[in-house]
C-alpha cells in the first residue's frame, strides 16, 4: 500500500451508505454477510473495533471501480454491489 492514499471512507460516506441500506430491508442479510466476509481478520483487536475490510483491499477495489487513485464510494454503488451479491448467491 502506498503511504498517504486514502480509502474514501469518511463518516459522511458511511452514514449515506448506512441510510441507503437501511431503506432496503431486502439487503440487510446480504449486507451483514458481506461485512463478515470482507472484514479483516482480527478486526475486533484494533480500536475502534469495526469490521472493515483491509485498507489495501479496499483501496484496490476503489481503484478498480473508479480509476485513478480510487475515489469515494457512492451509496448507490454499494447498494448495486449488494444486489449483485444477493443475486449471485441465489444462483449458486
Amino acid at each position: 500500500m502506498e503511504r498517504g492514499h486514502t480509502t474514501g471512507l469518511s463518516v459522511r460516506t458511511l452514514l449515506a451508505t448506512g441510510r441507503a441500506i437501511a431503506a432496503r430491508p431486502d439487503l440487510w442479510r446480504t449486507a451483514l454477510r458481506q461485512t463478515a466476509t470482507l472484514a479483516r481478520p482480527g478486526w475486533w483487536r484494533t480500536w475502534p473495533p469495526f469490521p472493515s475490510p483491509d485498507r489495501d483491499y479496499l483501496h484496490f477495489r476503489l481503484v478498480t471501480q473508479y480509476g485513478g487513485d480510487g475515489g469515494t464510494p457512492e451509496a448507490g454503488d454499494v447498494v448495486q454491489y449488494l444486489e449483485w451479491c444477493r443475486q449471485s448467491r441465489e444462483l449458486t
Side-chain angles (χ1 to χ4, degrees):
M1 173 171 92
E2 289 180 31
R3 290 277 179 203
H5 82 257
T6 61
T7 59
L9 290 180
S10 67
V11 172
R12 176 178 283 180
T13 298
L14 291 172
L15 289 174
T17 302
R19 282 190 301 270
I21 295 168
R24 296 285 308 271
D26 60 314
L27 292 178
W28 293 357
R29 181 180 296 193
T30 304
L32 290 173
R33 183 179 292 118
Q34 287 309 114
T35 298
T37 299
L38 297 176
R40 68 190 182 286
W43 61 267
W44 58 87
R45 294 185 197 124
T46 59
W47 190 257
F50 186 75
S52 60
D54 179 75
R55 288 180 61 89
D56 289 338
Y57 174 78
L58 184 57
H59 179 70
F60 167 75
R61 296 301 303 162
L62 292 173
V63 167
T64 58
Q65 173 72 21
Y66 299 108
D69 288 335
T72 302
E74 297 177 17
D77 291 341
V78 176
V79 168
Q80 283 183 330
Y81 165 73
L82 292 173
E83 288 173 345
W84 176 81
C85 290
R86 184 186 62 200
Q87 291 169 359
S88 295
R89 186 168 177 83
E90 289 172 358
L91 292 175
T92 59

